[in-house]
Amino acid sequence: MMGKLWIVGLGPGAADLQAPRASAVLAAASDVVGYAAYVERVPPRCGQVRHASGNGDELARARHALGLAAAGRCVALVSSGDAGVFAMASTVLEAVESGDTAWRLLDIEIVPGISAMFAAAARIGAPLGHDFCAISLSDNLKPWDVVAQRLTAAVSAGFVIALYNPLSRARPWQLGAAFDLLRSLLPGATPVVFAAAVSTPGEKIEITTLEAADPRHADMSTLVLIGSAATRRIDRPDAPPWLYSPRRCAA
Amino acid sequence: MMGKLWIVGLGPGAADLQAPRASAVLAAASDVVGYAAYVERVPPRCGQVRHASGNGDELARARHALGLAAAGRCVALVSSGDAGVFAMASTVLEAVESGDTAWRLLDIEIVPGISAMFAAAARIGAPLGHDFCAISLSDNLKPWDVVAQRLTAAVSAGFVIALYNPLSRARPWQLGAAFDLLRSLLPGATPVVFAAAVSTPGEKIEITTLEAADPRHADMSTLVLIGSAATRRIDRPDAPPWLYSPRRCAA
């Protein structure tokens, strides 16, 4: 008997930003699989098996979830934010393509979620209101040259840039290198935002400029937004500024 | 007395993909403002005033919502998908910047949502699993040369591309021109997806290739996804293929 695999985006952190469909799936699953910090966000249910793993081998985690579903279990594989954005949906399909051909017959459903990028943007205005891109800064899986070339192309396109996975203990220099590169391409006054744990009690948001941005203010869970040359700042009395990227664009 | 303005993303269409926070705000608002098709998605409530408008002057709609809030009303301004992605959040802040300085003191809160792009991606796999960008193809607000230059830069960056507002009655040729340009830059076998009304009973998804993509299959509400050279297709017996963009990237 074949089971079911749901790949679920839990949203940015707040319970009321998690889609009801995700909550229903989590209530129905026989097994919850994921990085420990994400599994912890799922309310425990009697009889439900929880498989929490380290932040390491994602392909092994995907294969584990697929194996459970192939054995007849109803598995929820959980990611933060949206499951399709630098998260487990791509990893599962990589495992399907390279794995047991029976896995192609599995009932797999991806439940989308509110991404960290959109939750962060909403807290500070509408920085992603015009053309934008999302880049993972991790060079575990791609050479730094590719990252640098993509940042350069993104600036030439006039995109606002959302940087995922800006740095980690094993990758301490990448965000600083990205800022150095971007400073050579964009005005120093370009808005930069560090957003961590958005929508949770530990939320931390810093609005600064490219000139002043200090990479040490970010960690692995920080989303970094870089404005475009068109991104505007509205200062307000007794409140943080609004940032927004206008819909209109001159030639 | 100052009121409140919520700028609310309703998600892609299905009720169970709308965040509970959005539902709570819609239940609390004295006024609902928006494009008629989006206001229709809000369950009517006794005593709540509904201001439905045509798909036209967004800046006028934003000013209307701000004026109501400044007059003490609690206003929900609704968008489909996420309110910050080619939607009303940017327009409201444009109106704030250029409007009455008292509007800078208004209590404005943006409630993020699941974007059409992520809902569409989830239905077909994980095409946005690696670096990607979102571009509005409308040249109402930006010259076509800028659109073309951005598409070219996006391809040079290796981004998967999500195209919003691909065409309309007033802009019939842009999507075809975009396909022609992309065909000169990417292999003909590059996956292309047309996704309309995702997560609703009228959902229509077509998975094709850049070579075969017919712009007449899109309308204003269609989201068009263009794979990168790395995007892969997994064919399945008796089911639509999966598309995904691998996390790994060669030099």
Side-chain angles (χ1 to χ4, degrees), chain A residues 119-142:
Chain A
R123 292 288 288 130
I124 55 169
L128 304 175
H130 196 56
D131 302 338
F132 65 91
C133 67
I135 299 178
S136 170
L137 216 53
S138 170
D139 63 352
N140 289 342
L141 297 168
K142 67 186 166 201

Side-chain angles (χ1 to χ4, degrees), chain B residues 17-40:
Chain B
L17 292 179
Q18 179 177 299
R21 187 177 297 177
S23 306
V25 158
L26 295 172
S30 64
D31 296 70
V32 177
V33 176
Y35 171 47
Y38 304 149
V39 171
E40 267 168 38

Side-chain angles (χ1 to χ4, degrees), chain B residues 194-210:
Chain B
F194 295 87
V198 171
S199 82
T200 75
E203 176 178 288
K204 229 178 104 184
I205 295 179
E206 177 187 346
I207 300 178
T208 179
T209 61
L210 187 53

Side-chain angles (χ1 to χ4, degrees), chain A residues 50-74:
Chain A
R50 295 158 79 88
H51 311 260
S53 52
N55 198 4
D57 193 345
E58 295 185 325
L59 208 50
R61 189 191 301 144
R63 289 183 177 130
H64 180 212
L66 285 160
L68 287 168
R73 308 290 296 179
C74 294

Side-chain angles (χ1 to χ4, degrees), chain A residues 16 18 20-21 58 84 90 97 128 130-132 134 136 141-142 149-150 156-157 232 244-245 247 249, chain B residues 16 18 20-21 58 84 90 97 128 130-132 134 136 141-142 149-150 156-157 232 244-245 247 249:
Chain A
D16 66 352
Q18 179 177 297
R21 187 177 298 178
E58 295 185 325
S90 173
E97 190 180 22
L128 304 175
H130 196 56
D131 302 338
F132 65 91
S136 170
L141 297 168
K142 67 186 166 201
Q149 189 261 328
R150 287 181 178 187
S156 82
R232 300 192 58 81
Y244 80 101
S245 302
R247 307 159 303 148
C249 171
Chain B
D16 67 353
Q18 179 177 299
R21 187 177 297 177
E58 296 185 324
S90 174
E97 190 180 24
L128 304 175
H130 197 55
D131 302 339
F132 65 91
S136 169
L141 298 168
K142 67 186 166 202
Q149 188 261 326
R150 288 181 175 186
S156 82
R232 299 190 59 81
Y244 80 100
S245 302
R247 308 158 303 149
C249 170

Side-chain angles (χ1 to χ4, degrees), chain B residues 11-194:
Chain B
D16 67 353
L17 292 179
Q18 179 177 299
R21 187 177 297 177
S23 306
V25 158
L26 295 172
S30 64
D31 296 70
V32 177
V33 176
Y35 171 47
Y38 304 149
V39 171
E40 267 168 38
R41 284 175 52 188
V42 179
R45 184 169 66 69
C46 191
Q48 191 176 57
V49 187
R50 296 157 79 89
H51 311 261
S53 52
N55 198 5
D57 193 345
E58 296 185 324
L59 208 49
R61 188 191 301 146
R63 289 184 177 129
H64 180 213
L66 285 160
L68 287 168
R73 308 290 295 179
C74 295
V75 181
L77 175 60
V78 295
S79 287
S80 185
D82 181 89
V85 177
F86 307 120
M88 289 302 296
S90 174
T91 317
V92 167
L93 293 173
E94 189 182 330
V96 166
E97 190 180 24
S98 62
D100 189 335
T101 53
W103 285 353
R104 297 186 186 214
L105 303 169
L106 272 176
D107 183 5
I108 299 176
E109 182 184 337
I110 299 157
V111 180
I114 294 176
S115 63
M117 166 169 74
F118 295 160
R123 292 288 287 131
I124 54 168
L128 304 175
H130 197 55
D131 302 339
F132 65 91
C133 67
I135 299 178
S136 169
L137 215 53
S138 170
D139 63 352
N140 289 343
L141 298 168
K142 67 186 166 202
W144 178 254
D145 285 355
V146 172
V147 176
Q149 188 261 326
R150 288 181 175 186
L151 289 169
T152 305
V155 171
S156 82
F159 291 143
V160 173
I161 302 171
L163 293 178
Y164 277 77
N165 310 319
L167 79 182
S168 70
R169 226 166 299 175
R171 298 183 295 100
W173 57 267
Q174 280 79 352
L175 184 60
F179 284 155
D180 286 343
L181 173 60
L182 292 168
R183 283 185 195 113
S184 72
L185 303 168
L186 283 166
T190 303
V192 168
V193 179
F194 295 87

